[in-house]
Amino acid sequence: MATDNSVTLVGNVTRDPELRFTNTGQPTASFGLAVNRRWQNRQTQEWEEAVSFFDVVCWREMAENVSETLTKGARVMVAGRLEQRSWETQDGDKRSKIEVVADEIGPSLRWATAQITRNERKGPNDGSPRGGGGNRQQSAPPQAAPDNGGGYGFDEEPF
């Protein structure tokens, strides 16, 4: 039995991302995503369309970047996993929903361009108000890669 739970979606942001913070100061952002599917009915030769709506949740630095960058209508690609969340309303009704917890979010460049601005990485002792990821471990500096015809070496980053 397969246990892989991954999903990749391309769609339009339906509402501006909402940035919130947990009780421990962890940033989280959520937004809606509409994924359109369009096809031509072979019998009528008319175009038909179906739309699926998803709630997307992201955490930490990605949450802050998403809230500063995305706006309603932006076309994005989201890679992540499906997660079910359950709760009980004040009236005692049980509710649940399935959300996409994002691992990566990026602009779709099919019909638009984007300018990438790299943020400074925050280390465990950077003095940030939320602790700056105190469980990160330092790693050895990467080794240089042989010249691969204009690509990026291990010691340089693409942005």
Side-chain angles (χ1 to χ4, degrees):
M1 180 166 92
T3 59
D4 189 25
N5 176 9
S6 62
V7 62
T8 302
L9 302 169
V10 178
N12 292 62
V13 176
T14 61
R15 62 182 185 277
D16 289 341
E18 181 180 354
L19 181 65
R20 293 183 175 188
F21 295 88
T22 65
N23 293 339
T24 60
Q26 195 77 251
T28 180
S30 61
F31 62 93
L33 188 71
V35 178
N36 297 331
R37 189 171 76 92
R38 190 171 184 232
W39 68 95
Q40 190 172 24
N41 184 321
R42 293 187 181 193
Q43 293 172 338
T44 66
Q45 299 302 313
E46 298 207 12
W47 287 98
E48 297 182 16
E49 186 172 350
V51 182
S52 298
F53 294 94
F54 299 91
D55 286 326
V56 179
V57 178
C58 45
W59 293 90
R60 299 175 200 66
E61 291 88 0
M62 185 188 325
E64 294 176 315
N65 292 342
V66 160
S67 70
E68 291 175 20
T69 306
L70 296 183
T71 57
K72 180 179 177 178
R75 187 153 182 90
V76 296
M77 296 182 292
V78 177
R81 68 185 185 281
L82 298 175
E83 199 166 280
Q84 184 172 3
R85 188 167 56 93
S86 301
W87 70 97
E88 194 170 309
T89 67
Q90 291 178 345
D91 298 334
D93 295 331
K94 295 182 188 261
R95 307 278 182 186
S96 70
K97 70 188 294 186
I98 295 177
E99 301 171 319
V100 177
V101 178
D103 294 322
E104 296 285 341
I105 299 175
S108 171
L109 301 179
R110 188 171 182 182
W111 291 295
T113 61
Q115 182 174 350
I116 307 298
T117 304
R118 184 172 172 84
N119 290 341
E120 243 182 76
R121 290 188 184 228
K122 297 178 184 175
N125 300 319
D126 70 348
S128 69
R130 290 182 293 282
N135 61 355
R136 290 189 189 149
Q137 296 181 5
Q138 295 283 38
S139 60
Q143 300 297 317
D147 185 10
N148 58 3
Y152 293 102
F154 291 116
D155 64 337
E156 55 183 300
E157 300 194 31
F159 305 114

